[in-house]
Every structure is written in structure tokens, then in C-alpha cells.
Coordinates of all heavy atoms in Angstrom, one line a residue:
M14 N 112.4 112.4 114.8 CA 111.8 111.1 115.0 C 112.9 110.2 115.6 O 114.1 110.4 115.3 CB 111.3 110.5 113.7 CG 110.1 111.3 113.1 SD 108.7 111.6 114.1 CE 108.2 109.9 114.6
P15 N 112.5 109.3 116.4 CA 113.5 108.4 117.0 C 114.4 107.7 116.0 O 113.9 107.2 114.9 CB 112.6 107.3 117.8 CG 111.4 108.0 118.0 CD 111.2 109.0 116.9
R16 N 115.6 107.6 116.2 CA 116.6 107.0 115.4 C 116.9 107.7 114.1 O 117.6 107.2 113.2 CB 116.2 105.5 115.1 CG 117.0 104.5 115.9 CD 116.7 103.2 115.5 NE 117.9 102.6 114.8 CZ 117.9 101.5 114.1 NH1 116.8 100.7 114.1 NH2 118.9 101.1 113.5
F17 N 116.4 108.9 113.9 CA 116.7 109.6 112.7 C 117.6 110.8 113.1 O 117.4 111.4 114.1 CB 115.4 110.2 112.0 CG 114.6 109.2 111.3 CD1 113.7 108.3 112.0 CD2 114.6 109.1 109.9 CE1 113.0 107.4 111.3 CE2 113.9 108.1 109.3 CZ 113.1 107.3 110.0
G18 N 118.6 111.1 112.2 CA 119.5 112.1 112.6 C 120.3 111.7 113.8 O 120.8 110.6 114.0
Q19 N 120.3 112.6 114.8 CA 121.0 112.3 116.1 C 120.0 112.0 117.2 O 120.4 111.9 118.4 CB 121.9 113.5 116.4 CG 123.0 113.8 115.4 CD 123.9 114.9 115.8 OE1 123.8 115.5 116.9 NE2 124.7 115.3 114.9
S20 N 118.8 111.7 116.9 CA 117.8 111.4 117.9 C 118.0 110.0 118.4 O 118.3 109.1 117.6 CB 116.4 111.5 117.3 OG 116.1 112.8 116.9
P21 N 117.9 109.8 119.7 CA 118.1 108.4 120.2 C 116.9 107.5 119.8 O 115.8 108.0 119.4 CB 118.1 108.6 121.7 CG 117.4 109.9 121.9 CD 117.6 110.7 120.7
D22 N 117.1 106.2 119.9 CA 116.1 105.2 119.6 C 115.1 105.1 120.7 O 115.4 105.6 121.8 CB 116.8 103.9 119.3 CG 115.9 102.9 118.6 OD1 114.7 103.2 118.3 OD2 116.4 101.8 118.3
L23 N 114.0 104.5 120.4 CA 113.0 104.2 121.4 C 113.6 103.2 122.4 O 114.5 102.5 122.1 CB 111.7 103.7 120.8 CG 110.9 104.6 119.9 CD1 109.8 103.9 119.2 CD2 110.3 105.8 120.7
D24 N 112.9 103.0 123.5 CA 113.3 101.9 124.4 C 113.1 100.6 123.7 O 112.2 100.4 122.9 CB 112.4 101.9 125.7 CG 112.6 103.1 126.6 OD1 113.7 103.7 126.6 OD2 111.7 103.5 127.2
P25 N 114.0 99.6 124.0 CA 113.9 98.3 123.2 C 112.6 97.6 123.4 O 112.1 97.0 122.5 CB 115.0 97.5 123.9 CG 116.0 98.5 124.5 CD 115.2 99.7 124.9
G26 N 111.9 97.8 124.5 CA 110.6 97.2 124.6 C 109.4 97.9 124.0 O 108.3 97.4 124.0
A27 N 109.6 99.1 123.5 CA 108.5 99.9 122.9 C 108.1 99.2 121.6 O 108.9 98.8 120.7 CB 109.0 101.3 122.6
P28 N 106.8 99.1 121.4 CA 106.3 98.5 120.1 C 106.6 99.4 118.9 O 106.5 100.6 119.0 CB 104.8 98.3 120.3 CG 104.4 99.2 121.4 CD 105.7 99.5 122.2
R29 N 107.0 98.8 117.8 CA 107.3 99.5 116.6 C 106.1 99.6 115.8 O 105.9 98.9 114.8 CB 108.4 98.8 115.8 CG 109.7 98.5 116.6 CD 110.4 99.8 117.0 NE 111.5 99.5 117.9 CZ 112.5 100.3 118.0 NH1 112.6 101.5 117.4 NH2 113.4 100.0 118.9
E30 N 105.2 100.5 116.2 CA 103.9 100.7 115.6 C 103.7 102.2 115.3 O 104.3 103.1 115.9 CB 102.8 100.2 116.5 CG 102.9 98.7 116.8 CD 101.9 98.3 117.8 OE1 101.2 99.1 118.5 OE2 101.7 97.1 118.0
L31 N 102.8 102.5 114.4 CA 102.5 103.8 114.0 C 102.0 104.6 115.2 O 102.4 105.8 115.4 CB 101.4 103.8 112.9 CG 101.0 105.2 112.3 CD1 102.2 105.9 111.8 CD2 100.0 105.0 111.2
E32 N 101.1 104.0 116.0 CA 100.6 104.7 117.2 C 101.7 105.1 118.2 O 101.6 106.1 118.9 CB 99.5 104.0 117.8 CG 98.3 103.8 116.9 CD 97.8 105.0 116.2 OE1 97.7 106.1 116.8 OE2 97.6 105.0 115.0
T33 N 102.8 104.3 118.3 CA 103.9 104.6 119.1 C 104.6 105.9 118.6 O 104.9 106.7 119.4 CB 104.9 103.4 119.2 OG1 104.2 102.3 119.6 CG2 106.1 103.7 120.1
A34 N 104.8 106.0 117.3 CA 105.4 107.2 116.7 C 104.5 108.4 117.0 O 105.1 109.5 117.3 CB 105.6 107.0 115.3
V35 N 103.2 108.3 116.9 CA 102.3 109.4 117.1 C 102.4 109.8 118.6 O 102.5 111.0 118.9 CB 100.9 109.1 116.7 CG1 99.9 110.2 117.2 CG2 100.8 108.9 115.2
A36 N 102.4 108.9 119.5 CA 102.5 109.2 121.0 C 103.9 109.8 121.3 O 103.9 110.8 122.1 CB 102.4 107.9 121.8
W37 N 104.9 109.4 120.6 CA 106.3 109.9 120.8 C 106.3 111.4 120.4 O 106.8 112.3 121.1 CB 107.3 109.1 120.1 CG 108.7 109.7 120.3 CD1 109.6 109.4 121.3 CD2 109.3 110.7 119.5 NE1 110.7 110.1 121.1 CE2 110.6 111.0 120.0 CE3 108.9 111.5 118.4 CZ2 111.5 111.9 119.5 CZ3 109.8 112.4 117.9 CH2 111.0 112.6 118.4
L38 N 105.7 111.6 119.2 CA 105.7 113.0 118.6 C 104.8 113.9 119.5 O 105.2 115.1 119.7 CB 105.2 113.0 117.2 CG 105.3 114.3 116.4 CD1 106.7 114.8 116.4 CD2 104.8 114.1 115.0
K39 N 103.7 113.4 120.0 CA 102.9 114.2 120.9 C 103.6 114.6 122.1 O 103.6 115.8 122.5 CB 101.6 113.4 121.3 CG 100.7 114.1 122.3 CD 99.5 113.3 122.6 CE 98.6 114.0 123.6 NZ 97.4 113.2 123.9
A40 N 104.4 113.7 122.7 CA 105.2 114.0 123.9 C 106.3 115.0 123.6 O 106.6 116.0 124.3 CB 105.8 112.8 124.5
F41 N 106.9 114.8 122.4 CA 108.0 115.7 122.0 C 107.5 117.2 121.7 O 108.1 118.1 122.2 CB 108.6 115.2 120.7 CG 109.8 116.0 120.1 CD1 111.0 116.1 120.8 CD2 109.6 116.7 119.0 CE1 112.0 116.9 120.3 CE2 110.6 117.5 118.5 CZ 111.9 117.6 119.1
L42 N 106.3 117.3 121.1 CA 105.7 118.6 120.9 C 105.4 119.3 122.2 O 105.6 120.5 122.4 CB 104.5 118.5 120.0 CG 104.7 118.1 118.5 CD1 103.4 117.8 117.8 CD2 105.6 119.1 117.8
A43 N 104.9 118.5 123.2 CA 104.6 119.1 124.5 C 105.8 119.6 125.2 O 105.8 120.6 125.8 CB 103.9 118.0 125.3
E44 N 106.9 118.8 125.0 CA 108.2 119.2 125.6 C 108.7 120.5 125.0 O 109.3 121.3 125.7 CB 109.2 118.1 125.4 CG 110.6 118.3 126.0 CD 111.5 117.1 125.7 OE1 111.1 116.0 125.9 OE2 112.7 117.4 125.4
L45 N 108.5 120.7 123.7 CA 108.9 121.9 123.1 C 107.9 123.1 123.3 O 108.2 124.2 123.0 CB 109.0 121.7 121.6 CG 110.0 120.8 121.0 CD1 109.9 120.6 119.5 CD2 111.4 121.3 121.4
G46 N 106.7 122.8 123.9 CA 105.7 123.8 124.0 C 105.0 124.2 122.7 O 104.5 125.3 122.6
A47 N 105.1 123.3 121.7 CA 104.5 123.6 120.4 C 103.1 123.0 120.4 O 102.8 121.8 120.5 CB 105.3 122.9 119.3
H48 N 102.1 124.0 120.3 CA 100.7 123.6 120.3 C 100.2 123.6 118.9 O 100.2 124.7 118.2 CB 99.9 124.6 121.2 CG 98.4 124.3 121.2 ND1 97.9 123.2 121.8 CD2 97.4 125.0 120.6 CE1 96.6 123.2 121.6 NE2 96.3 124.3 120.9
R49 N 99.8 122.5 118.4 CA 99.3 122.3 117.0 C 100.1 123.0 115.9 O 99.7 123.9 115.2 CB 97.8 122.8 116.9 CG 96.9 122.0 117.8 CD 95.4 122.3 117.6 NE 95.1 121.9 116.2 CZ 94.4 122.7 115.3 NH1 94.1 123.9 115.7 NH2 94.2 122.3 114.1
P50 N 101.4 122.6 115.8 CA 102.2 123.2 114.7 C 101.8 122.7 113.3 O 101.1 121.8 113.2 CB 103.6 122.6 115.1 CG 103.3 121.3 115.7 CD 102.0 121.5 116.5
H51 N 102.4 123.4 112.4 CA 102.3 122.9 111.0 C 103.3 121.8 110.8 O 104.4 121.9 111.3 CB 102.6 124.0 110.0 CG 101.6 125.2 110.1 ND1 100.4 125.2 109.6 CD2 101.8 126.4 110.7 CE1 99.8 126.3 109.8 NE2 100.6 127.1 110.5
V52 N 102.9 120.7 110.2 CA 103.7 119.5 110.1 C 103.9 119.1 108.7 O 103.0 119.2 107.9 CB 103.0 118.3 110.9 CG1 103.8 117.0 110.7 CG2 102.9 118.6 112.4
A53 N 105.2 118.7 108.4 CA 105.5 118.2 107.0 C 106.2 116.9 107.2 O 107.0 116.8 108.1 CB 106.3 119.3 106.2
G54 N 106.0 116.0 106.3 CA 106.7 114.7 106.4 C 106.7 114.1 105.0 O 105.9 114.3 104.2
H55 N 107.8 113.3 104.8 CA 107.9 112.5 103.6 C 107.9 111.0 103.9 O 108.5 110.6 104.9 CB 109.3 112.9 102.9 CG 109.6 112.1 101.7 ND1 110.4 111.0 101.8 CD2 109.2 112.1 100.5 CE1 110.5 110.4 100.6 NE2 109.8 111.1 99.8
S56 N 107.2 110.2 103.1 CA 107.2 108.8 103.3 C 106.6 108.4 104.7 O 105.5 108.8 105.0 CB 108.6 108.2 103.1 OG 108.5 106.8 103.0
L57 N 107.4 107.8 105.5 CA 106.9 107.4 106.9 C 106.5 108.7 107.6 O 105.4 108.7 108.3 CB 107.9 106.6 107.7 CG 107.5 106.2 109.1 CD1 106.2 105.4 109.1 CD2 108.7 105.5 109.7
G58 N 107.2 109.8 107.5 CA 106.9 111.0 108.1 C 105.6 111.6 107.7 O 104.9 112.2 108.4
G59 N 105.3 111.4 106.4 CA 104.0 111.8 105.8 C 102.8 111.1 106.5 O 101.8 111.7 106.8
L60 N 103.0 109.8 106.6 CA 102.0 108.9 107.2 C 101.8 109.3 108.7 O 100.6 109.5 109.1 CB 102.3 107.5 107.1 CG 101.4 106.5 107.7 CD1 100.0 106.6 107.2 CD2 101.9 105.1 107.6
I61 N 102.9 109.5 109.4 CA 102.8 109.9 110.8 C 102.1 111.3 110.9 O 101.3 111.6 111.7 CB 104.2 109.9 111.4 CG1 104.7 108.5 111.6 CG2 104.1 110.6 112.8 CD1 106.1 108.4 112.0
G62 N 102.4 112.2 110.0 CA 101.8 113.5 109.9 C 100.3 113.5 109.8 O 99.6 114.2 110.4
L63 N 99.8 112.6 108.9 CA 98.4 112.4 108.7 C 97.7 111.9 110.0 O 96.7 112.3 110.3 CB 98.1 111.5 107.5 CG 98.5 112.1 106.1 CD1 98.3 111.0 105.1 CD2 97.7 113.3 105.8
R64 N 98.4 111.0 110.6 CA 97.8 110.4 111.9 C 97.9 111.5 113.0 O 97.0 111.6 113.8 CB 98.6 109.2 112.4 CG 98.3 108.0 111.5 CD 96.9 107.5 111.7 NE 96.5 106.4 110.9 CZ 96.5 105.2 111.3 NH1 96.8 104.9 112.5 NH2 96.2 104.2 110.4
V65 N 98.9 112.3 113.0 CA 99.0 113.4 114.0 C 97.8 114.4 113.7 O 97.2 114.9 114.7 CB 100.3 114.1 113.9 CG1 100.3 115.5 114.6 CG2 101.4 113.2 114.4
A66 N 97.5 114.7 112.5 CA 96.3 115.5 112.2 C 95.0 114.9 112.6 O 94.2 115.6 113.2 CB 96.3 115.8 110.7
Q67 N 94.9 113.6 112.4 CA 93.7 112.9 112.9 C 93.5 113.0 114.4 O 92.4 113.1 114.9 CB 93.7 111.4 112.5 CG 93.4 111.2 111.0 CD 93.5 109.7 110.7 OE1 94.3 108.9 111.3 NE2 92.6 109.2 109.9
A68 N 94.6 113.0 115.1 CA 94.6 113.1 116.6 C 94.4 114.6 117.0 O 94.3 114.8 118.2 CB 95.9 112.6 117.1
G69 N 94.3 115.5 116.1 CA 94.1 116.9 116.4 C 95.3 117.6 116.9 O 95.2 118.7 117.6
L70 N 96.5 117.1 116.6 CA 97.8 117.7 117.1 C 98.5 118.6 116.2 O 99.5 119.2 116.5 CB 98.7 116.5 117.5 CG 98.2 115.5 118.6 CD1 99.2 114.4 118.7 CD2 98.0 116.2 119.9
A71 N 98.0 118.7 114.9 CA 98.6 119.6 113.9 C 97.6 120.6 113.4 O 96.5 120.3 113.2 CB 99.2 118.7 112.8
R72 N 98.1 121.8 113.1 CA 97.3 122.8 112.5 C 97.1 122.5 111.0 O 96.0 122.7 110.5 CB 98.0 124.1 112.6 CG 97.2 125.3 112.2 CD 97.9 126.6 112.7 NE 98.4 126.4 114.0 CZ 98.1 127.1 115.1 NH1 97.4 128.2 114.9 NH2 98.6 126.9 116.3
S73 N 98.2 122.0 110.4 CA 98.1 121.6 109.0 C 99.2 120.5 108.7 O 100.1 120.4 109.5 CB 98.3 122.8 108.0 OG 99.6 123.2 108.1
V74 N 99.0 119.8 107.7 CA 100.0 118.7 107.4 C 100.2 118.8 105.9 O 99.3 118.8 105.1 CB 99.5 117.3 107.7 CG1 100.4 116.2 107.3 CG2 99.3 117.2 109.2
T75 N 101.5 118.7 105.5 CA 101.9 118.5 104.1 C 102.6 117.1 104.1 O 103.6 116.9 104.7 CB 102.9 119.6 103.7 OG1 102.3 120.9 103.8 CG2 103.4 119.3 102.2
A76 N 101.9 116.2 103.5 CA 102.4 114.8 103.4 C 102.9 114.5 102.0 O 102.1 114.5 101.0 CB 101.3 113.8 103.8
L77 N 104.2 114.4 101.9 CA 104.8 114.1 100.6 C 105.1 112.6 100.4 O 105.8 112.0 101.2 CB 106.2 114.9 100.5 CG 106.1 116.4 100.7 CD1 107.5 117.0 100.8 CD2 105.3 117.1 99.6
V78 N 104.4 112.0 99.5 CA 104.5 110.6 99.2 C 104.3 109.8 100.5 O 105.2 109.1 100.9 CB 105.8 110.3 98.5 CG1 105.8 108.9 97.9 CG2 106.2 111.3 97.4
P79 N 103.2 110.0 101.2 CA 103.1 109.3 102.5 C 103.1 107.8 102.3 O 102.6 107.2 101.3 CB 101.7 109.8 103.0 CG 101.0 110.2 101.8 CD 102.0 110.7 100.8
A80 N 103.7 107.1 103.3 CA 103.7 105.6 103.2 C 102.3 105.1 103.3 O 101.4 105.7 103.8 CB 104.5 105.1 104.4
G81 N 102.1 103.8 102.9 CA 100.8 103.2 103.0 C 100.0 103.5 101.8 O 100.4 104.0 100.8
F82 N 98.7 103.2 101.9 CA 97.7 103.6 100.9 C 98.0 103.0 99.5 O 97.7 103.7 98.6 CB 97.6 105.1 100.8 CG 97.5 105.8 102.1 CD1 98.5 106.8 102.4 CD2 96.6 105.5 103.0 CE1 98.4 107.5 103.7 CE2 96.5 106.2 104.2 CZ 97.4 107.2 104.6
W83 N 98.4 101.8 99.5 CA 98.8 101.3 98.2 C 97.8 100.2 97.7 O 97.9 99.8 96.6 CB 100.2 100.7 98.2 CG 100.4 99.7 99.2 CD1 100.2 98.4 99.1 CD2 100.9 100.0 100.6 NE1 100.5 97.8 100.3 CE2 100.9 98.7 101.2 CE3 101.2 101.1 101.2 CZ2 101.3 98.6 102.5 CZ3 101.6 101.0 102.6 CH2 101.7 99.7 103.2
T84 N 96.9 99.7 98.5 CA 96.0 98.7 98.1 C 94.7 99.3 97.6 O 94.3 100.4 98.1 CB 95.7 97.6 99.2 OG1 94.9 98.3 100.2 CG2 97.0 97.1 99.8
P85 N 93.9 98.6 96.8 CA 92.6 99.1 96.4 C 91.7 99.3 97.6 O 90.8 100.2 97.5 CB 92.1 98.0 95.5 CG 93.3 97.3 95.0 CD 94.3 97.4 96.1
V86 N 91.8 98.6 98.7 CA 91.0 98.8 99.8 C 91.3 100.1 100.6 O 90.5 100.8 101.1 CB 91.1 97.5 100.8 CG1 90.4 97.8 102.1 CG2 90.6 96.3 100.1
E87 N 92.6 100.4 100.6 CA 93.1 101.6 101.3 C 92.9 102.9 100.5 O 92.8 103.9 101.1 CB 94.6 101.5 101.7 CG 94.8 100.4 102.7 CD 96.3 100.1 102.9 OE1 97.0 100.0 101.9 OE2 96.7 100.0 104.1
R88 N 92.8 102.8 99.2 CA 92.7 104.0 98.4 C 91.5 104.8 98.7 O 91.6 106.0 98.9 CB 92.7 103.6 96.9 CG 93.0 104.7 96.0 CD 93.4 104.2 94.6 NE 94.7 103.6 94.6 CZ 95.0 102.3 94.3 NH1 94.0 101.5 94.0 NH2 96.2 101.8 94.4
P89 N 90.3 104.2 98.8 CA 89.1 105.1 99.1 C 89.2 105.7 100.5 O 88.9 106.9 100.7 CB 87.9 104.1 99.1 CG 88.4 103.0 98.3 CD 89.8 102.9 98.5
Y90 N 89.8 105.0 101.4 CA 90.1 105.6 102.8 C 91.0 106.8 102.6 O 90.8 107.9 103.3 CB 90.7 104.6 103.7 CG 91.2 105.1 105.0 CD1 90.3 105.5 106.0 CD2 92.5 105.4 105.2 CE1 90.8 106.0 107.2 CE2 93.0 105.9 106.4 CZ 92.1 106.2 107.4 OH 92.6 106.8 108.6
T91 N 92.1 106.7 101.9 CA 93.0 107.8 101.7 C 92.3 109.0 101.1 O 92.5 110.1 101.6 CB 94.1 107.3 100.7 OG1 94.7 106.2 101.2 CG2 95.2 108.4 100.5
Y92 N 91.5 108.8 100.1 CA 90.8 109.9 99.4 C 89.9 110.6 100.5 O 89.8 111.8 100.5 CB 90.1 109.5 98.2 CG 91.0 109.1 97.0 CD1 90.5 108.2 96.1 CD2 92.2 109.7 96.9 CE1 91.3 107.9 95.0 CE2 93.0 109.4 95.8 CZ 92.6 108.5 94.9 OH 93.4 108.2 93.8
A93 N 89.2 109.8 101.3 CA 88.3 110.3 102.3 C 89.0 111.2 103.3 O 88.6 112.3 103.7 CB 87.5 109.2 102.9
V94 N 90.2 110.6 103.8 CA 90.9 111.4 104.8 C 91.5 112.7 104.2 O 91.4 113.8 104.8 CB 92.1 110.5 105.3 CG1 93.1 111.4 106.1 CG2 91.6 109.4 106.2
L95 N 92.0 112.6 103.0 CA 92.6 113.8 102.4 C 91.5 114.8 102.1 O 91.7 116.0 102.3 CB 93.3 113.4 101.1 CG 94.6 112.6 101.3 CD1 95.2 112.2 100.0 CD2 95.6 113.4 102.1
A96 N 90.3 114.4 101.6 CA 89.2 115.3 101.3 C 88.7 116.0 102.6 O 88.4 117.1 102.6 CB 88.1 114.6 100.6
R97 N 88.7 115.2 103.7 CA 88.2 115.7 105.0 C 89.1 116.9 105.4 O 88.6 117.8 106.1 CB 88.3 114.6 106.0 CG 87.8 115.0 107.4 CD 87.8 113.8 108.3 NE 87.5 114.3 109.6 CZ 87.6 113.6 110.7 NH1 88.1 112.3 110.6 NH2 87.3 114.0 111.9
Y98 N 90.4 116.9 105.1 CA 91.3 117.9 105.5 C 91.5 119.0 104.4 O 92.4 119.7 104.4 CB 92.6 117.4 106.0 CG 92.4 116.6 107.3 CD1 92.4 115.2 107.3 CD2 92.2 117.3 108.5 CE1 92.1 114.6 108.5 CE2 92.0 116.6 109.6 CZ 92.0 115.3 109.7 OH 91.7 114.6 110.8
G99 N 90.6 119.0 103.4 CA 90.6 120.0 102.4 C 91.5 119.8 101.2 O 91.7 120.7 100.4
A100 N 92.1 118.6 101.1 CA 93.0 118.4 99.9 C 92.2 118.3 98.7 O 91.1 117.8 98.6 CB 93.7 117.1 100.1
R101 N 92.8 118.8 97.6 CA 92.1 118.7 96.3 C 92.6 117.4 95.7 O 93.8 117.2 95.5 CB 92.5 119.9 95.4 CG 92.0 121.2 95.9 CD 92.3 122.3 95.0 NE 92.0 123.6 95.7 CZ 92.5 124.7 95.3 NH1 93.3 124.8 94.3 NH2 92.1 125.8 95.9
L102 N 91.7 116.6 95.3 CA 92.0 115.3 94.7 C 92.1 115.4 93.2 O 91.4 116.2 92.6 CB 91.0 114.3 95.1 CG 90.9 114.1 96.6 CD1 89.7 113.1 96.9 CD2 92.2 113.6 97.2
P103 N 92.9 114.6 92.6 CA 93.0 114.6 91.1 C 91.6 114.1 90.5 O 90.9 113.4 91.2 CB 94.1 113.6 90.8 CG 94.2 112.7 92.0 CD 93.8 113.6 93.2
P104 N 91.3 114.5 89.3 CA 90.0 114.1 88.7 C 90.1 112.6 88.5 O 91.1 112.0 88.3 CB 90.0 114.8 87.4 CG 91.4 115.3 87.1 CD 92.1 115.4 88.4
K105 N 88.9 112.0 88.7 CA 88.8 110.5 88.5 C 88.9 110.2 87.0 O 88.1 110.8 86.2 CB 87.6 109.9 89.1 CG 87.6 110.0 90.5 CD 86.3 109.3 91.1 CE 86.4 109.4 92.6 NZ 85.3 108.8 93.3
R106 N 89.8 109.4 86.6 CA 89.9 109.0 85.2 C 90.6 107.6 85.2 O 91.3 107.3 86.1 CB 90.8 110.0 84.4 CG 92.1 110.2 85.0 CD 92.9 111.3 84.2 NE 94.0 111.6 85.0 CZ 95.1 112.2 84.6 NH1 95.1 112.6 83.3 NH2 96.1 112.4 85.3
P107 N 90.3 106.9 84.2 CA 90.9 105.5 84.1 C 92.4 105.6 83.9 O 92.8 106.5 83.2 CB 90.2 104.9 82.9 CG 89.6 106.0 82.2 CD 89.4 107.2 83.1
S108 N 93.1 104.8 84.6 CA 94.5 104.8 84.4 C 94.8 104.0 83.1 O 94.1 103.1 82.8 CB 95.2 104.1 85.6 OG 94.7 102.9 85.9
P109 N 95.9 104.4 82.5 CA 96.2 103.6 81.2 C 96.6 102.2 81.5 O 97.1 101.9 82.5 CB 97.5 104.4 80.7 CG 98.0 105.1 81.9 CD 96.9 105.4 82.8
A110 N 96.2 101.3 80.6 CA 96.4 99.9 80.8 C 97.9 99.7 80.6 O 98.6 100.3 79.8 CB 95.7 99.1 79.7
W111 N 98.4 98.7 81.4 CA 99.8 98.3 81.3 C 100.0 97.6 80.0 O 99.2 96.7 79.7 CB 100.2 97.5 82.5 CG 101.6 97.2 82.6 CD1 102.3 96.1 82.1 CD2 102.6 98.0 83.1 NE1 103.6 96.2 82.4 CE2 103.9 97.4 83.0 CE3 102.6 99.3 83.7 CZ2 105.1 97.9 83.5 CZ3 103.8 99.8 84.2 CH2 105.0 99.2 84.0
P112 N 101.0 97.9 79.2 CA 101.2 97.3 77.9 C 101.5 95.8 78.1 O 102.2 95.4 79.0 CB 102.4 97.9 77.3 CG 102.9 99.0 78.2 CD 102.1 98.9 79.5
A113 N 100.8 95.0 77.3 CA 101.0 93.5 77.4 C 102.4 93.2 77.0 O 103.0 93.8 76.1 CB 100.0 92.8 76.5
A114 N 102.9 92.2 77.7 CA 104.3 91.7 77.3 C 104.3 91.1 75.9 O 103.4 90.3 75.6 CB 104.8 90.7 78.4
Q115 N 105.2 91.4 75.2 CA 105.4 90.9 73.8 C 106.4 89.7 73.9 O 107.5 89.9 74.5 CB 105.8 91.9 72.8 CG 104.9 93.1 72.7 CD 103.5 92.7 72.2 OE1 103.4 91.9 71.2 NE2 102.5 93.2 72.8
P116 N 106.1 88.6 73.2 CA 107.1 87.5 73.2 C 108.3 88.0 72.4 O 108.2 88.7 71.5 CB 106.4 86.4 72.5 CG 105.2 87.0 71.8 CD 104.9 88.3 72.5
E117 N 109.5 87.5 72.9 CA 110.7 87.8 72.3 C 110.8 87.1 71.0 O 110.4 85.9 70.9 CB 111.9 87.5 73.2 CG 112.0 88.4 74.4 CD 113.3 88.1 75.1 OE1 114.3 87.6 74.5 OE2 113.3 88.3 76.3
E118 N 111.3 87.8 70.0 CA 111.5 87.1 68.7 C 112.9 86.3 68.7 O 113.8 86.8 69.3 CB 111.6 88.1 67.5 CG 110.2 88.8 67.4 CD 110.2 89.7 66.2 OE1 111.1 89.6 65.3 OE2 109.4 90.6 66.2
P119 N 112.9 85.2 68.1 CA 114.2 84.4 68.1 C 115.2 85.2 67.3 O 114.9 85.8 66.3 CB 113.8 83.1 67.4 CG 112.5 83.2 66.9 CD 111.8 84.4 67.4
S120 N 116.5 85.1 67.7 CA 117.5 85.9 67.0 C 118.2 85.0 66.1 O 118.1 83.8 66.0 CB 118.5 86.5 68.0 OG 118.9 85.6 69.0

């Protein structure tokens, strides 16, 4: 990916958006002659991998702790995307309540 390891950065005028990263990866794969490779990514790489799969550019994706998907609005979308690609989702169960803060006792 641009600016990771010894890879050069994008042009200064290029928008720093997810779709830019997907377009860059598409061009890079074409340059390598890699047609629909298996893709793995962590964090931002996981999110980019999922978008690459949506674009039909990957045979499979392993997304480890993908970025995003942290709001209640995004969570159903995440489950739908993962289920669409055959991921097994954890069973639905209520999450444990966060313990209420206890007032400190005077010393």
C-alpha cells in the first residue's frame, strides 16, 4: 500500500479516501498480472480488502480487525456484508452490561 514499507506515497493531489486505495490496489494488481488474488489485511488493510471484494477484485478476503464498523448504524451493514461472503457470524446474545462506577470511599 502507498507509504507502507518501502512503497512510495500517492501523488500529493490524490484524495485520501477509501476508494482511492481500492483504485490504487486495482492498478497494482493489474501491473502484477494478478487476477482475483486471495487478499488478507489487518485494520485499514482489512477494510480495503472488504471493499476490494465488493468490487469483484478478490477471490477471497481475510479481514483481521477491519477498520470501521464501530457504530450501531454500521454494525448491521457489517454483518450483511460478511454474511454475503459466507462468513460465519457469532450467535446473537446480549452483551454484558458495563459495571456501574462505584463512588470512591473517603480514606
Side-chain angles (χ1 to χ4, degrees):
M14 297 303 303
R16 255 185 109 188
F17 285 81
Q19 295 181 10
S20 298
D22 197 357
L23 296 170
D24 293 332
R29 306 295 172 156
E30 299 172 348
L31 184 56
E32 297 313 314
T33 302
V35 172
W37 180 91
L38 190 54
K39 179 180 180 179
F41 180 71
L42 293 173
E44 183 180 315
L45 293 176
H48 178 70
R49 294 191 67 230
H51 299 281
V52 175
H55 175 262
S56 192
L57 178 59
L60 177 59
I61 292 169
L63 291 173
R64 287 294 176 96
V65 165
Q67 284 180 322
L70 301 173
R72 188 170 316 236
S73 69
V74 174
T75 301
L77 306 171
V78 195
F82 313 125
W83 56 88
T84 69
V86 173
E87 291 171 318
R88 196 165 289 116
Y90 170 78
T91 303
Y92 289 152
V94 168
L95 293 174
R97 180 176 174 193
Y98 292 102
R101 294 183 190 162
L102 302 176
K105 292 185 179 180
R106 57 184 168 162
S108 55
W111 190 261
Q115 300 296 320
E117 290 185 28
E118 295 184 22
S120 44

